[in-house]
Amino acid sequence: MQSSCPPVPGPDSLTRWSEAVDAGARGWYAASLTRARSLRRDADPAVRSLSASLEGSLLRQLGRHTDAAVRDGAALVDSGFSRGTGPRRAIDVDAAVDALVGLAADAIGPRRLARADVLLARAESVLATRPGHQRVSLRVLWVRAEVAMASGDARRALDAAEASVRAAREFRSPRHLVKSRVVHAAALLVAGDHSVAATAARSVRDDAVAADLLPLAWASACLSEACGDRDAGAVRRVFEVAIRSRGGQFS
């Protein structure tokens, strides 16, 4: 009799997904999207879901919000998420939360903030029964902060951003810590603390450049520009040229 549980993905699939994530984090958008799309036909639906969520994240970063929402919707379907039954395997938890968080992020642009809150609450309900998933837990905190910023709630934004910085330090992932610091700098700006935000944005930009995290360096430059840094616009444009050279085309 065949098992009713989905097959555990082989290390090759997860390695390819991890490589695609790393390429995207360093701004190699074309390579990352190609690798993610190569997993669309993987035998394990959770791998397909994780890859679709990655596609959604990359497309959202490039301003292709409608396309991102389509991929995040596909990710949710492949994740097998159901409010009636919880995920069976650890990878299923990651897939479900990634998809829900992606859809929540997609809802911010069109100002569907109540929908974003509902989706994040569903992600949190999954994590409440299966603690320990640090990567996706961080993503929940980032988008919580972004939703709060979009709604003008600076205190909630700072609380979520500061929690993400603490969680990233515990996770011991330099890339996730840099992203959390970018979110924190943005929350400081929304809170009106321009001087501290400017200092934070410049500091994290330097660290992003040193780590070759080009998209986060670009985001930090955007924050510096919003803080009134006269040189930041030129720096941002340099980063945009570099991103285009790596296959990232902004919409």
Side-chain angles (χ1 to χ4, degrees):
M1 181 182 296
Q2 293 184 339
S3 171
S4 61
C5 296
V8 175
D12 185 64
S13 293
L14 289 180
T15 298
R16 287 163 59 200
W17 171 78
S18 181
E19 289 170 349
V21 171
D22 182 68
R26 292 185 290 117
W28 294 100
Y29 284 93
S32 182
L33 284 166
T34 297
R35 292 177 184 182
R37 288 165 180 162
S38 74
L39 293 167
R40 283 185 179 180
R41 294 178 298 278
D42 194 88
D44 191 295
V47 171
R48 297 198 300 270
S49 176
L50 288 169
S51 299
S53 288
L54 173 57
E55 282 190 73
S57 177
L58 294 167
L59 294 171
R60 191 164 48 250
Q61 290 173 35
L62 295 172
R64 294 172 56 184
H65 298 285
T66 300
D67 293 336
V70 171
R71 298 311 303 144
D72 287 323
L76 188 63
V77 171
D78 275 333
S79 77
F81 171 75
S82 169
R83 280 174 281 176
T85 59
R88 295 182 178 183
R89 304 169 300 165
I91 191 174
D92 297 326
V93 175
D94 286 350
V97 174
D98 260 347
L100 290 164
V101 170
L103 287 167
D106 295 327
I108 296 174
R111 306 288 300 177
R112 300 179 67 187
L113 302 183
R115 172 175 168 76
D117 276 330
V118 168
L119 289 162
L120 289 173
R122 290 177 183 170
E124 289 164 344
S125 71
V126 172
L127 291 169
T129 61
R130 299 287 293 274
H133 293 260
Q134 291 174 292
R135 180 187 67 82
V136 290
S137 296
L138 271 167
R139 292 196 71 208
V140 172
L141 289 170
W142 294 337
V143 179
R144 272 283 177 217
E146 291 167 5
V147 171
M149 283 186 266
S151 66
D153 192 334
R155 183 65 264 165
R156 281 181 57 213
L158 280 169
D159 286 346
E162 289 166 0
S164 79
V165 171
R166 292 192 297 271
R169 293 190 192 282
E170 294 176 3
F171 190 33
R172 298 181 183 275
S173 166
R175 182 175 76 226
H176 289 80
L177 180 56
V178 169
K179 172 61 183 282
S180 294
R181 289 170 56 204
V182 170
V183 174
H184 185 232
L188 287 167
L189 180 59
V190 169
D193 202 342
H194 285 214
S195 176
V196 177
T199 300
R202 180 56 186 266
S203 175
V204 73
R205 186 176 87 203
D206 290 344
D207 288 346
V209 170
D212 194 28
L213 299 173
L214 187 54
L216 293 175
W218 173 82
S220 301
C222 291
L223 287 173
S224 293
E225 192 173 10
C227 290
D229 185 333
R230 294 180 180 179
D231 299 324
V235 173
R236 171 183 55 77
R237 288 189 288 274
V238 169
F239 291 150
E240 287 175 357
V241 170
I243 286 172
R244 286 196 293 271
S245 75
R246 297 183 183 190
Q249 298 297 324
F250 291 100
S251 296

